[in-house]
Structure formats: C-alpha cells, structure tokens
Amino acid sequence: MELGIGIGWRPEIADAVEELPGVDWVEVVAENICPGHLPAALTRLRSRGTRIIPHGVSLGLGGADRPSQQRLADLAERATALGAPLVTEHIAFVRAGGVLTASPQLEAGHLLPVPRTWDALKVLCENVRIAQDSLPVPLALENIAALISWPGEELTEGQFLAELVDRTGVGLLIDVANLHTNHVNRGEHPVKALDELPVEAIAYVHVAGGIERDGIWHDTHAHPVTQPVLDILSALRDRVTPPGVLLERDDDFPPAEELAAELTAIRTTVGAGTAPTGRGAGANEPGGAHPQERGGADPGARERLALGQAALLSALVAGTPTPEGFDSRRLRVQSRALAAKRADVVAKVAPELPEILGRGYRDAFLAHAKSRPMQSGYRRDALDFAEQLLIAGRPEDETARRLLTRWWEERAAPHPPRRATRLVRAARAALTRR
C-alpha cells in the first residue's frame, strides 16, 4: 500500500497541515481522539481523501501482561471511525507490576525498551497475535528510542525485529530517528540494524528531530530533523522504497514554512536514493532461531519478564535501587526525563494548574513526582497532584489555594478528602514506595 509523504497531525498545527502542499496522509495519536467527536479539521482532511492512520501509545505490547481487551477495542473503534488502512503501535512496555508480581501497578507515562531476549520475544509475539486477532485492519509496530540497555540481551535490534516479523507477520514502522538515537545512546550502528531488517515488512517510516546534551541524544520531536537522521533514511531507501514516510513533530511547532521545508527535505531524500536492493543482507537468517524457540510464551517467561520490568520501572519512578546490571547514571537521566515529561503532559491535560500555581508549578510537580509514582493516566495524575498540594496546605497564597480547591472539587469530589481518607492514601503511598 503506497502512502506517500505524510505528517503527524496535532491540534496545534491543524490549520497548517490543511494548507501544506504535498501532504498525502496524516497520523494521529489514537488516544487523543474520540471517534464520535472527531475534530473538524480531521473530518475535512478525510473528506478530501487524505488517509488518516491512528498511532497508539498505551497498549504496552512489550509488557509482561496480555494486552487489555478494552484498549484493543478502543483502538479498533478509532481505526473504523477513521476508515484507516492500518493501525500502528510500539514495541515497548509502558506499565509494570500488578498481579504477576503481587505489587502495585505503576505507569511509566513513556515508552520503555523491551529486553531483546528469547523470553521477551515469546511474550511479545503472543501479545501481538492477540492484538492482531482483535483489530479490524493490519497492525504495524515501531522500534523505539531508548536511553538504557537491558543486561544479558541475546539478540540485536535487527534480529529481534526480524524474528518478530517472521513469527507473527506483523508489519514494521521503522523510525530512523530512533535508530540514530540508539546509535548515540547505546552504540548500536543503524546500518547493521538495516542490514538485518526484513525491509519488505515495512509499512512506513517515521522521521523526527532531537537534540544532543552531555553525550546523550534526546528524541524530543520538538527540534528540526538533523542530517544524520536523513542519512539513515537515505540508507534505508537504498535497500527498499518505503511505502510511506512521515514527519513527526509534537512540540515547539515551527511556522508552516519550516514544516514544508522539512517535508521537502524528506521527499528529496527518498527520491535521491540508489536503486533498492530488496531485503537487507543477512535478513534471510533473521535471528538463528531454533525450532524450540518458536512456541508460545510459557507462564514462567511472563513472570520473569514481569519481575524484571517491575524492578526497572520502580527504580525509574519510585526511587527503588538500580536493578543489577543496569547503568545507574543512565537510569537517573531516564528518571529525570520521565518526571519532566509527566510535568509537561499534566500541564497540557490540566492547563489550569500552571495558571493557578504560576512559576512554582514545575518545581512543585517534580517534587510530587519523586514520591508519587503514576498509577493511572495523566488526568488522574493531575488530580492526585492537586490533592496532595491541598492536603499539605499549599499553595501558601490564599487566593491560589482557593482556586485550586475549586478546580479539584469540580473534577474529583464534592469536598476535599477527609482525615481518614488522607491516612488511607498516605498508607497506600508508603506501600508503593517500598
């Protein structure tokens, strides 16, 4: 299926996307739209024949638990409402804990890497098959960017993706910016990954910008696309003509002229490659799997993966010790990045909070995040943050505290939490931190 050149649709650039020349299709974050109330700009794009593909971020197919049937149903509903030819998600885990570990479930609020082991591969493949059976259109999965590496990995990224495709038939969404990120942060050469990929399984490609700080590449989606990322796109184009290429931008949106220039650079790069050679070298031997490696995930594999992911996520969001084999410095960087992202997303989900708290919002939220891991979505996180401030008698300014109380009451309950409720929640928080 040929898609052409596309751009990630975001409300902040909806008007610009409608006017940009040469946009063949758009991608929307699935969780950000309501099928019965599509934004007018998306409806207009669809009426013009522009394809719209929902891109999920919350399934957590790389997690130890089987995927939520409700989340799958929601994704299927969005695909149907948009008339989408396929849906996409990520090879990642986004939550951990719960029944398999007999511990509180924690939410990362971010895409975290799956260990490239045979155990994790079996679990991922079983989860992918469950998703495929629940969706009305084909599924393609994206490789993610990561700051951290799992100890004891048994496959390269290219081998892991090739095995996944071989066992499930799932499509691939290859993010060349993420290949660059993993090159800088984890020393993984993108050309090697491209050589090992089953490139004929690529549904489309992501291109995005980022920035390097202190030797670490941050995949921000808020900066211009860099030449090294376009070079990886060119190297991919030498191996296969991608059915579609999409520009992602999630923040600090530039003028429409700059978006148009980036789309032109992508279009030029895709059109300037040498004749594709088909499958990457070595792709006929994706991972050297033995027949016994091709079965479904046994309960032991899920439990082992669950324990490892819970330990990692707890270290990142609840301040527990660094699990053995991980780089503690990298985990601290990732932990700070997760807290900063929580602060940014909560500010978008509940813009009244930074308005009420002013310049003190960010410091107050980061202090909250250190002791209160996210256990549900961002909207619940915003309510918990406001509640904890009120319990502590903050903010000190009486007018701001009155506004915050009113905001919380309108969204959470008819009255602030009583003393007994506060004690129960404090006890629960203490258990979570253990």
Side-chain angles (χ1 to χ4, degrees):
M1 175 180 51
E2 295 298 322
L3 292 171
I5 304 298
I7 189 169
W9 187 91
R10 303 293 183 267
E12 296 90 339
I13 54 171
D15 293 340
V17 169
E18 285 192 73
E19 300 300 325
L20 284 172
V23 171
D24 302 306
W25 60 291
V26 299
E27 178 192 79
V28 297
V29 177
E31 289 81 356
N32 289 353
I33 61 169
C34 179
H37 304 278
L38 294 179
L42 274 182
T43 302
R44 289 193 296 270
L45 284 174
R46 190 178 177 196
S47 68
R48 283 164 35 179
T50 303
R51 281 176 167 153
I52 305 172
I53 295 177
H55 185 53
V57 296
S58 64
L59 269 184
L61 292 174
D65 290 320
R66 289 174 175 81
S68 159
Q69 287 301 316
Q70 184 58 59
R71 293 180 190 276
L72 286 170
D74 290 344
L75 185 55
E77 183 182 18
R78 284 154 177 75
T80 300
L82 294 170
L86 77 158
V87 297
T88 57
E89 247 287 355
H90 298 82
I91 301 168
F93 78 99
V94 297
R95 61 190 63 87
V99 175
L100 285 173
T101 59
S103 63
Q105 180 169 282
L106 301 176
E107 292 279 342
H110 188 69
L111 303 164
L112 294 175
V114 176
R116 297 175 197 148
T117 62
W118 294 112
D119 266 3
L121 178 66
K122 288 179 179 180
V123 172
L124 174 62
C125 288
E126 188 172 292
N127 288 349
V128 168
R129 294 186 195 104
I130 292 170
Q132 289 171 316
D133 289 343
S134 302
L135 295 169
V137 293
L139 171 68
L141 296 179
E142 179 181 353
N143 59 302
I144 71 163
L147 285 173
I148 54 180
S149 298
W150 283 81
E153 292 193 319
E154 299 166 317
L155 299 99
T156 65
E157 181 164 31
Q159 290 170 340
F160 193 81
L161 294 177
E163 283 290 344
L164 173 63
V165 171
D166 188 45
R167 295 171 184 225
T168 65
V170 75
L172 293 178
L173 193 183
I174 295 300
D175 190 315
V176 292
N178 290 349
L179 291 179
H180 174 66
T181 301
N182 293 343
H183 173 54
V184 176
N185 293 348
R186 305 202 286 184
E188 299 171 352
H189 204 286
V191 172
K192 178 177 174 59
L194 293 178
D195 283 343
E196 293 173 337
L197 284 178
V199 293
E200 74 282 357
I202 294 176
Y204 62 90
V205 174
H206 272 175
V207 178
I211 189 170
E212 186 171 346
R213 296 193 200 98
D214 300 325
I216 293 175
W217 187 265
H218 296 269
D219 180 46
T220 63
H221 293 193
H223 292 82
V225 176
T226 61
Q227 189 58 48
V229 171
L230 292 177
D231 290 343
I232 299 172
L233 176 62
S234 179
L236 173 61
R237 172 61 180 82
D238 291 343
R239 290 158 173 78
V240 69
T241 302
V245 183
L246 180 125
L247 171 65
E248 285 189 295
R249 186 79 179 224
D250 294 332
D251 209 347
D252 290 341
F253 299 99
E257 297 76 19
E258 291 184 28
L259 292 174
E262 292 204 295
L263 289 170
T264 298
I266 290 170
R267 191 175 293 108
T268 300
T269 300
V270 172
T274 60
T277 58
R279 288 178 66 97
N284 288 317
E285 299 178 10
H290 300 292
Q292 63 266 28
E293 301 288 358
R294 295 186 178 274
D298 61 89
R302 285 192 181 275
E303 290 173 5
R304 290 188 293 273
L305 184 62
L307 290 170
Q309 291 180 339
L312 173 59
L313 185 51
S314 182
L316 290 172
V317 303
T320 57
T322 299
E324 185 177 355
F326 283 94
D327 183 329
S328 58
R329 185 182 70 86
R330 285 294 177 92
L331 258 61
R332 287 194 295 271
V333 173
Q334 181 72 82
S335 180
R336 290 194 295 269
L338 290 178
K341 181 177 180 180
R342 277 178 71 184
D344 291 342
V345 176
V346 165
K348 290 181 179 180
V349 168
E352 302 87 353
L353 293 179
E355 291 175 4
I356 293 170
L357 299 173
R359 296 174 62 181
Y361 162 76
R362 192 170 185 84
D363 286 344
F365 188 90
L366 293 177
H368 163 79
K370 285 183 180 179
S371 60
R372 301 282 298 187
M374 185 164 61
Q375 294 181 288
S376 188
Y378 284 109
R379 295 186 188 282
R380 183 70 252 176
D381 204 22
L383 288 170
D384 288 345
F385 168 56
E387 178 181 305
Q388 292 305 307
L389 286 180
L390 293 173
I391 288 173
R394 298 176 60 199
E396 295 180 2
D397 179 80
E398 185 177 341
T399 300
R401 189 165 63 253
R402 186 170 59 251
L403 289 172
L404 185 62
T405 300
R406 185 181 307 156
W407 180 90
W408 186 88
E409 288 175 344
E410 289 173 351
R411 290 158 179 80
H415 52 75
R418 298 183 184 277
R419 184 173 184 275
T421 302
R422 297 176 189 179
L423 291 174
V424 169
R425 287 174 176 166
R428 185 184 303 143
L431 288 173
T432 298
R433 293 194 293 272
R434 287 183 179 178

